[in-house]
Amino acid sequence: MNKKEEIRLIMGKYLSHNADSSEIKRMDKWLEEDTDVNEWLISTIENSCPVVSPDVEERLESGLHCIIYNTKKQHRILKWGIAAAATAIVSVLTIMIYLTHTDDNPYVEPLSVTTKAGERSHIGLPDGSSVTLNHLSGITYKYDKNQKTRIVELTGEAFFDVSTDPDHPFIVNCNGMSVECKGTSFNIKGYSDEEFVSAVLCDGIVIATSGSHRISMKPGMKVCYDKKNGELKSSEVDIADYSGWINGDMRFNDDRLEDIMHLISRKYEVEINIATSSLREERLSGSITGKTLEETLLILSQVADYKYFRDSDSTICVYREEKQNSYIK
């Protein structure tokens, strides 16, 4: 076992609370003595993604010290802030997984990441693919060495940019629907409290399946899986309507107000009750970017002609005044 492989293993043990003091000291000693490792580590940190998994951030709340050398080989000690430390460790782990692959056992390291309400996270997978998770979502990545497939279990919503590898198919399973590809980009949404699971293809070709149903998707195609009857249906869509959330956009395309309010509830971690039943079927199109909860509700109220008030700190009531006078106290 070489140094980088052992450092990777120790870092993994550290993140799972299993590394002992002697292992951490051994890793520090290597980092202090091996300038090649340190220069590689610095480069990894500088090029790492600034968004990290909440569970990793929590693990590093106590801070992390690493002894490294800069490119001039001058000794220095860095104490990173929580986000920077977590970013570095996640990136280092991913890079080290690459360095320890073998032809017989590629992509071997499993990975699990979740997000909370209002959070998005960008993750680099061991196979070189990347995933952006939306609010209240999670993935579990693993490599099936028997089937030679890269497998992701998804809850919630995620955008995948899959590294091309014809010999190792990439499969995403989400609430009864599976999407298989060998290298492409697509969005999947499948929250447990929604009736449908949907996949929208941005580039390349993927196969969407559920039971005996199978659809070959092309860019700009959306496939919906109905959880109740198990059917798959396809349609042509505007890709931007289903990927804008990556940049914080909320886009609607003839969507019901009830579904829009459900999306807002998930993003801002509030409960929104629509007291006027006819409002639920109002359909809206447009986009909202970079707004607070109050700003978002105000914009929509002007378009959909409703009013709202806070029932409590975490509950909002939406209504039409002319039909709900008896409801307002």
Side-chain angles (χ1 to χ4, degrees), residues 145-160:
K145 62 181 180 180
N146 294 321
Q147 299 295 324
K148 294 185 177 181
T149 54
R150 301 168 282 171
I151 301 175
V152 172
E153 301 294 333
L154 168 68
T155 58
E157 183 171 21
F159 184 89
F160 293 86

Side-chain angles (χ1 to χ4, degrees), residues 60-113:
L60 293 167
E61 281 182 351
S62 60
L64 179 68
H65 291 78
C66 279
I67 301 173
I68 62 176
Y69 282 80
N70 62 18
T71 55
K72 295 182 180 179
K73 299 178 175 60
Q74 295 172 324
H75 179 265
R76 64 183 180 179
I77 298 177
L78 297 183
K79 182 176 182 180
W80 296 314
I82 293 172
T87 299
I89 292 298
V90 170
S91 298
V92 169
L93 285 172
T94 301
I95 297 297
M96 286 183 171
I97 289 166
Y98 279 127
L99 296 178
T100 56
H101 282 169
T102 66
D103 292 337
D104 296 329
N105 196 19
Y107 321 138
V108 67
E109 293 294 329
L111 176 68
S112 295
V113 180

